[in-house]
Amino acid sequence: MDARRGSYSSVPTAHVARAGVLDSLAMLADVALPTLAKGIIVRRPHMVGLAERLGTDGRAVRRLQKLRARYGPGPLIFPVPGRPQAVILDPDQVRPILAAAPDPFSPATMEKASVLGHFEKNVSLISYPPERAARRRFNAIVLEEGCPVHSTAARLARIVEEEVDTMLAQAGERLSWDDFATAWYMIVRRLVLGDGARDDHTLTDMLADLRYASNWGFTHPGYPRLERRFHERLGAHIERAEPGSIAERAKTCGRELDVPATDQLAHYLFAYDPGGMTAFRTMALLATHSDAMARTRRELAEVGPGGRARLSYLRACVVDTLRLWPTTPAIFRETLRAVEFDGGSLPRGTHVMIFAPFFHRDEETLSFAHRFAPEIWIDGAEIPDLPLVPFSDGPGICPARDLVPMTISMAIAEILARRDIRLEQAGRLSDRRPIPPILDNYTLSFALHRR
């Protein structure tokens, strides 16, 4: 595989294996069903809480380690009726497979289309050439892919300052998830759609209902009328094209490239939801890791209020939070043709899963698997060679991999500039114990003290 060309022929050391019936049932019980139960498009809070108590992601990692020990590192095929299913077990195969998109490993899987089709049928993730190229270009332009500081940074700083001030005034001495989530969605709507969308809670609620239907994929008939009303409401915000908003650029770019802007921006709003979860979890890690908090505060003092879009260490904390608890745990690909390996092949139409928590938390591969290690994203030249893919990788990598962490780090910085925080559930995290496999953000809260 040559990542520069994006072509794929073979992985010479990989031996394709086929799992037995008992191992297939164990894979279903320990990996597939718990992942589906938490919600693949919108999280089910009670199931996330149950998953933390049961440590289901830790069990999933151990199951995949056992399968790798039994069958070897090559792709493992499961005897699922109707459609070949395979899981990747070798860390050395993760990036080459993701680099081989969209052919032969297409991100536009049948399963993904059945899920996202409930509210964004024309989004780039489930598009095929030639539409995929135009939609990816749209996202690259609007989101300024690969640019660490988005051109909206100054406007975003003002938005974050205003919304955090309001949130802290209302929260008093205790910050709950509900308090934070309300402020977070206001920040996101103002950034993406403009100040006029600040209080459009109805838009967010409509998207949430559509996403809950998406959790059920093709088994749910969907809400066609709600989908139509949602896109009309979102389209009105885009048509308004409020100066300085992401929608302003999206409107122009959508017309130039003939790309349906509402589908792409629906995905932006969707993608920012797990961003809020990551922000709250990052705050919990900082509150329980004194060295990381001290370094963060030193960085805040060094850059000052005007430099919060360039907080390299705090942004690294955000990314390592995503490594520890990926908000997209399963990365799916579909083979468009038979893919030959040295020891067998994946048939055309195989649904391939890369389970990110396995590779991010595999202590057999990573010495830092179960600790908070933001320094690896700053000083770690080894990262490109490791299977750490919190934003996926290759041609299908998330185009918002800079914008969303910038937004998260700016929001956290604004809170820390005004308050000292203490995690009220301190027993759930500690810098003296391994990081738990799941952290339920919905039940976190912080005691706040004025600085």
Side-chain angles (χ1 to χ4, degrees), residues 360-426:
H360 292 186
R361 292 297 201 100
D362 181 12
E363 69 276 1
E364 296 175 4
T365 302
L366 304 175
S367 61
F368 51 83
H370 304 302
R371 68 175 176 86
F372 184 38
E375 68 277 359
I376 67 174
W377 301 100
I378 297 176
D379 305 323
E382 61 182 341
I383 292 301
D385 298 323
L386 294 176
L388 305 181
V389 287
F391 301 102
S392 189
D393 200 50
I397 195 169
C398 175
R401 64 190 182 277
D402 292 301
L403 177 59
V404 173
M406 184 186 84
T407 308
I408 296 171
S409 60
M410 291 175 74
I412 295 173
E414 203 66 41
I415 294 171
L416 296 181
R418 289 162 169 71
R419 298 288 190 274
D420 288 323
I421 63 173
R422 176 178 59 82
L423 182 64
E424 292 188 325
Q425 303 80 19

Side-chain angles (χ1 to χ4, degrees), residues 164-176:
V164 167
D165 276 345
T166 300
M167 176 188 73
L168 294 178
Q170 294 174 347
E173 297 180 352
R174 181 178 183 271
L175 181 63
S176 69

Side-chain angles (χ1 to χ4, degrees), residues 121-139:
K121 293 181 174 64
N122 300 304
V123 73
S124 65
L125 272 177
I126 53 175
S127 299
Y128 291 95
E131 289 85 4
R132 182 182 187 275
R135 293 167 186 174
R136 281 288 304 187
R137 178 164 172 73
F138 173 98
N139 290 328

Side-chain angles (χ1 to χ4, degrees), residues 296-315:
T296 297
R297 290 203 176 280
R298 288 196 300 271
E299 184 178 52
L300 287 174
E302 290 169 2
V303 304
R308 289 180 185 156
R310 296 176 172 82
L311 293 165
S312 60
Y313 181 74
L314 182 50
R315 198 179 295 200

Side-chain angles (χ1 to χ4, degrees), residues 404-451:
V404 173
M406 184 186 84
T407 308
I408 296 171
S409 60
M410 291 175 74
I412 295 173
E414 203 66 41
I415 294 171
L416 296 181
R418 289 162 169 71
R419 298 288 190 274
D420 288 323
I421 63 173
R422 176 178 59 82
L423 182 64
E424 292 188 325
Q425 303 80 19
R428 290 164 66 179
L429 286 175
S430 171
D431 56 2
R432 295 183 297 275
R433 298 195 308 272
I435 301 294
I438 303 176
L439 183 66
D440 174 14
N441 56 284
Y442 302 104
T443 54
L444 295 177
S445 60
F446 298 89
L448 304 175
H449 304 281
R450 291 186 180 275
R451 289 188 60 75

